[in-house]
C-alpha cells in the first residue's frame, strides 16, 4: 500500500463548517492523515464562508499566500470547498490559478474521487452540485466534531427563511433534517468516545422534523436526554420566530439541557426587523426572553446583531442599544451589515450616510463590554460546575472550561482533569472569562 498523504483543512465561518471539516477528514481518512501544518501538507483544503464580504475576501488573500508553497512543491493540491465554492464555482478557478479543485457544500462525498482524478489527469476540476435535498454529510463516517469532551452534531442542513440580508439559503440549500435514529446513533458513538457535552447544530433547530416520524425538536431533545453518559446538551441556532413555549418548558425540565440560549435578535427596531424579514417583533422576542427567565432562573442569553441594515436610522439603532440594556446578554456577536449578492437586501437603497453608521458598531460593542464586565463581576464569589475543555493556551498550568450557563472559566489545575466536571469557586473577573480555583 502507498504511504498515506497529508491533509490540512483550514476552516472559516460557522460551526457548520467546523463540523463539515471533520467530515472532510473522515471522507479522506483512507488516503490522507491530518498534517500538522500547511507546510507539510500534500493537500490543503479551504473550507470557506461567504456570510460577509470580509469573510469571502479572506479566502482569496489566503489563496494568494499559498503560491510560494506551490512553487516549492508543484505536486501540492489546493482545494476550495464550503460556501464561497458553492456560490462562486468555476470563477474561483479563473480568479486563482493555484487552485486545483473546487467542490460545493453538497459535494463532500465526491472529494476522494475528485482528488484522485486531479492527480491522474492533471486537470483542474470544479463540482458544485445543485441542492439535492439530501443531507450531504449523512453517509460520511461518523466523526468527533470537537475537542475531547465536547462535540458538535449536525441535525439539519440548509435554511428556508430567506432573511433579507442572508446568503445561507443560497449556499446551503433548502432545509433538510436528518433522521433522529441517525442522530442518536452518532450521539451514542460520541459518548462512547468520551464526549460529555453535545451541541446540536442547525441554522434553525426549532424547525427540526424527523423525516421518518415527523417528530419535532423537543422530541429529539427528549430522546437525547435518555442517553446514558451525556451530561450536557446544547443547541444552536434557535430562530426566535420558531422558539416555542414548549421548547422553553423542555429546556427547564430536561436536566441535561444547559441554561444558555443563543437567540439572534439582529435588531431592536420593528421597522428594521420587518425589512429584514425576520418574522417577529421586538415585543414577541421579549416575551420569549421573559418566559425563559421565569422558567430558568440561571439562564443566560447570547445573540447576533447586524448594525446598519439598509434604511436603518439612528433611532432604530438606539432601540438595539435598548435591547442590550433590557436583556443583559452575556455576550453578543455583532456585525456591520454587508451586502451579499443575490439577497433581497442587496437591492435595497440606503439613504443613511455610511460614515455616520460607521461609529454605531463600536458604540454597541462598548455598551456590551460594560454589560459583560458587570455580569462577570457578579459571578465572583460564586461556586460553579465547570466542564474542563482544554488547557489555557496562554497561561501554563491553567485549564479552561465552561459553566452550564456558558461562562468561560480559567483556573489552575492538572491536565488530568480534562474532560471532567469540577467545582470551582470564582475569584476574579476578566473581560472574556472569569478566574477561579478548585473546591475540594
Ligand atoms: N441561522 C442563524 C444565523 C446564521 S449567520 C440565525 O438565523 O440567526 C450568523 C450571523 O451572521 C447572523 O445571525 C447575522 O447576525 C450575521 N449575518 C448574516 N448575514 C449578514 C450580512 N449580510 N451582513 C452582516 N451580518 C450578517
Ligand atoms: Fe440566514 Fe435567516 Fe436562515 Fe439564519 S434564519 S441562516 S439568518 S436566512
Ligand atoms: Fe459562513 Fe456558510 Fe456558515 S456562509 S456562516 S460557513 S453556513
Amino acid at each position: 500500500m502507498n504511504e498515506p498523504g497529508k491533509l490540512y483543512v483550514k476552516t472559516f465561518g460557522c460551526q457548520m463548517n467546523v463540523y463539515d471539516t471533520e467530515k472532510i477528514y473522515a471522507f479522506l481518512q483512507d488516503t490522507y492523515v491530518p498534517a500538522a501544518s500547511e507546510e507539510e501538507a500534500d493537500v490543503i483544503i479551504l473550507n470557506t464562508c461567504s456570510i460577509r464580504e470580509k469573510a469571502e475576501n479572506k479566502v482569496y488573500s489566503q489563496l494568494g499566500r499559498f503560491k510560494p508553497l506551490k512553487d516549492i512543491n508543484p505536486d501540492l493540491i489546493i482545494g476550495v470547498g464550503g460556501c464561497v465554492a458553492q456560490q462562486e464555482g468555476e470563477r474561483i478557478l479563473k480568479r486563482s490559478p493555484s487552485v486545483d479543485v473546487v467542490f460545493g457544500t453538497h459535494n463532500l462525498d465526491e472529494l476522494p474521487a475528485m482528488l484522485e482524478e486531479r492527480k491522474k489527469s492533471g486537470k483542474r476540476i470544479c463540482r458544485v452540485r445543485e441542492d439535492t435535498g439530501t443531507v450531504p454529510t449523512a453517509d460520511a463516517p461518523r466523526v468527533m466534531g470537537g475537542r475531547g469532551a465536547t462535540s458538535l452534531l449536525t441535525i439539519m442542513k440548509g435554511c428556508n427563511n430567506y432573511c433579507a440580508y442572508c446568503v445561507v439559503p443560497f449556499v446551503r440549500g433548502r432545509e433538510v433534517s436528518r433522521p433522529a435514529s441517525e442522530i442518536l446513533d452518532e450521539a451514542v458513538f460520541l459518548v462512547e468516545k468520551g464526549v460529555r457535552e453535545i451541541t446540536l447544530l442547525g441554522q434553525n433547530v426549532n424547525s427540526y422534523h424527523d423525516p421518518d416520524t415527523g417528530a419535532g425538536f423537543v422530541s429529539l431533545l427528549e430522546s437525547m436526554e435518555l442517553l446514558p453518559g451525556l451530561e450536557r446538551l446544547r443547541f444552536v441556532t434557535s430562530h426566535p420566530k420558531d422558539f416555542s413555549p414548549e421548547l422553553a418548558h423542555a429546556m427547564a425540565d430536561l436536566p441535561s439541557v444547559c441554561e444558555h440560549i443563543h437567540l439572534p435578535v439582529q435588531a431592536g427596531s420593528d421597522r428594521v426587523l420587518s425589512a429584514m424579514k425576520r418574522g417577529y417583533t421586538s415585543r414577541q422576542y421579549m416575551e420569549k426572553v421573559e418566559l425563559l427567565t421565569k422558567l430558568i432562573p440561571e439562564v443566560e442569553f447570547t445573540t447576533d446583531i447586524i448594525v446598519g441594515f439598509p434604511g436603518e436610522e439612528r433611532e432604530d439603532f438606539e432601540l438595539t442599544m435598548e435591547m442590550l440594556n433590557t436583556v443583559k446578554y452575556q455576550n453578543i456577536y455583532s456585525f456591520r451589515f454587508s451586502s451579499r449578492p443575490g439577497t433581497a437586501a442587496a437591492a435595497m437603497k440606503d439613504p443613511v450616510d455610511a460614515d455616520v453608521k460607521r461609529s454605531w458598531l463600536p458604540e454597541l460593542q462598548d455598551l456590551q463590554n460594560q454589560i459583560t464586565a458587570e455580569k462577570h463581576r457578579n459571578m465572583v464569589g460564586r461556586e460553579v460546575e465547570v466542564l474542563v475543555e482544554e488547557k489555557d493556551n496562554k497561561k501554563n498550568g491553567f485549564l479552561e472550561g465552561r459553566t452550564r450557563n456558558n461562562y468561560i472559566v480559567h483556573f489552575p489545575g492538572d491536565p488530568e482533569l480534562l474532560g471532567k466536571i469540577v467545582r470551582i469557586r470564582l475569584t476574579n473577573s476578566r473581560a472574556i472569562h472569569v478566574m477561579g480555583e478548585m473546591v475540594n
Side-chain angles (χ1 to χ4, degrees):
M1 231 182 95
N2 291 339
E3 269 289 284
K6 287 192 175 164
L7 170 67
Y8 192 87
V9 187
K10 192 158 179 161
T11 314
F12 300 81
C14 67
Q15 289 182 308
M16 301 276 163
N17 265 10
V18 173
Y19 181 84
D20 281 354
T21 288
E22 295 301 323
K23 289 283 180 193
I24 290 172
Y25 279 114
F27 272 123
L28 292 169
Q29 71 192 0
D30 293 339
T31 34
Y32 293 95
V33 293
S37 67
E38 292 162 8
E39 284 73 20
E40 66 162 55
D42 303 299
V43 175
I44 300 176
I45 288 175
L46 300 187
N47 193 9
T48 63
C49 172
S50 57
I51 198 82
R52 286 166 291 272
E53 198 179 354
K54 245 195 209 153
E56 186 166 341
N57 289 343
K58 251 192 227 162
V59 174
Y60 286 105
S61 62
Q62 179 69 59
L63 284 171
R65 281 200 290 274
F66 287 150
K67 203 179 163 298
L69 288 181
K70 249 194 146 154
D71 291 340
I72 300 168
N73 174 11
D75 293 332
L76 174 66
I77 294 181
I78 292 179
V80 179
C83 296
V84 177
Q86 185 69 26
Q87 197 156 41
E88 294 297 300
E90 296 270 353
R91 283 196 289 269
I92 297 177
L93 292 183
K94 292 210 181 79
R95 188 167 160 182
S96 304
S98 58
V99 174
D100 299 278
V101 168
V102 174
F103 60 102
T105 54
H106 310 288
N107 303 70
L108 300 192
D109 53 338
E110 288 181 70
L111 199 51
M114 288 173 77
L115 293 179
E116 268 319 291
E117 196 181 324
R118 164 68 189 167
K119 275 194 263 180
K120 283 206 183 100
S121 72
K123 279 202 197 101
R124 303 166 78 207
I125 313 167
C126 171
R127 272 201 212 127
V128 176
R129 215 187 277 163
E130 286 294 302
D131 182 11
T132 51
T134 56
V135 182
T137 49
D139 304 327
R142 290 174 299 190
V143 293
M144 292 274 300
R147 310 171 291 194
T150 63
S151 182
L152 306 170
L153 205 179
T154 294
I155 63 168
M156 61 208 292
K157 66 149 201 168
C159 182
N160 290 346
N161 285 311
Y162 290 96
C163 300
Y165 49 83
C166 185
V167 81
V168 170
F170 302 95
V171 291
R172 293 281 168 161
R174 296 296 67 68
E175 185 180 289
V176 186
S177 299
R178 294 175 73 183
S181 55
E182 196 180 289
I183 295 167
L184 290 167
D185 207 45
E186 191 160 314
V188 169
F189 164 84
L190 292 172
V191 173
E192 278 169 2
K193 288 260 181 197
V195 167
R196 306 190 74 183
E197 174 183 304
I198 290 179
T199 302
L200 303 176
L201 284 186
Q203 293 297 352
N204 180 9
V205 293
N206 303 331
S207 61
Y208 172 84
H209 272 99
D210 184 349
D212 294 339
T213 65
F217 185 59
V218 168
S219 160
L220 179 67
L221 289 180
E222 286 165 353
S223 311
M224 294 285 295
E225 176 68 38
L226 300 176
L227 288 179
L230 183 65
E231 305 272 344
R232 292 178 172 193
L233 192 51
R234 302 182 188 274
F235 50 89
V236 277
T237 298
S238 274
H239 194 306
K241 83 174 158 58
D242 298 318
F243 187 95
S244 63
E246 189 198 0
L247 178 54
H249 282 277
M251 286 182 69
D253 296 343
L254 299 173
S256 65
V257 177
C258 289
E259 294 77 13
H260 162 238
I261 176 102
H262 183 65
L263 205 55
V265 67
Q266 311 298 357
S269 143
D270 289 344
R271 207 173 64 81
V272 173
L273 285 172
S274 160
M276 287 176 165
K277 299 204 168 45
R278 287 292 285 178
Y280 53 86
T281 61
S282 56
R283 184 67 242 150
Q284 286 166 330
Y285 180 90
M286 278 313 299
E287 278 162 14
K288 313 204 182 207
V289 169
E290 284 158 10
L291 176 63
L292 279 160
T293 312
K294 190 178 107 200
L295 295 176
I296 311 167
E298 294 283 290
V299 75
E300 291 291 346
F301 297 88
T302 53
T303 203
D304 293 348
I305 286 169
I306 296 177
V307 170
F309 189 77
E312 180 174 343
E313 306 266 1
R314 178 73 202 182
E315 62 200 42
D316 297 306
F317 169 68
E318 281 174 3
L319 290 169
T320 304
M321 297 279 277
E322 208 176 296
M323 199 76 170
L324 262 52
N325 276 321
T326 316
V327 179
K328 297 253 184 285
Y329 292 106
Q330 181 182 50
N331 204 349
I332 64 168
Y333 302 87
S334 52
F335 316 95
R336 213 169 260 136
F337 167 74
S338 167
S339 180
R340 304 312 290 138
T343 61
M348 293 179 187
K349 297 219 164 45
D350 194 359
V352 188
D353 190 63
D355 283 340
V356 171
K357 285 186 164 180
R358 198 150 287 277
S359 65
W360 295 356
L361 183 65
E363 199 178 328
L364 183 88
Q365 291 173 338
D366 275 352
L367 171 61
Q368 182 56 42
N369 288 344
Q370 289 170 32
I371 295 172
T372 302
E374 189 191 332
K375 290 181 82 91
H376 284 185
R377 279 195 301 274
N378 289 342
M379 291 302 286
V380 171
R382 295 184 53 174
E383 218 177 278
V384 292
E385 195 180 82
V386 170
L387 173 58
V388 188
E389 292 180 24
E390 57 186 349
K391 290 191 214 166
D392 179 348
N393 54 15
K394 293 209 188 88
K395 218 164 164 188
N396 234 340
F398 277 70
L399 302 171
E400 179 179 333
R402 234 170 250 267
T403 65
R404 289 178 55 94
N405 61 358
N406 201 42
Y407 285 97
I408 299 171
V409 175
H410 289 202
F411 64 98
D414 195 300
E416 273 189 6
L417 294 169
L418 286 168
K420 302 236 160 56
I421 290 176
V422 294
R423 291 209 58 86
I424 302 287
R425 187 171 330 101
L426 298 174
T427 51
N428 284 298
S429 67
R430 297 276 186 274
I432 305 184
H433 60 265
V434 189
M435 304 292 300
E437 54 199 26
M438 274 180 67
V439 182
N440 290 329

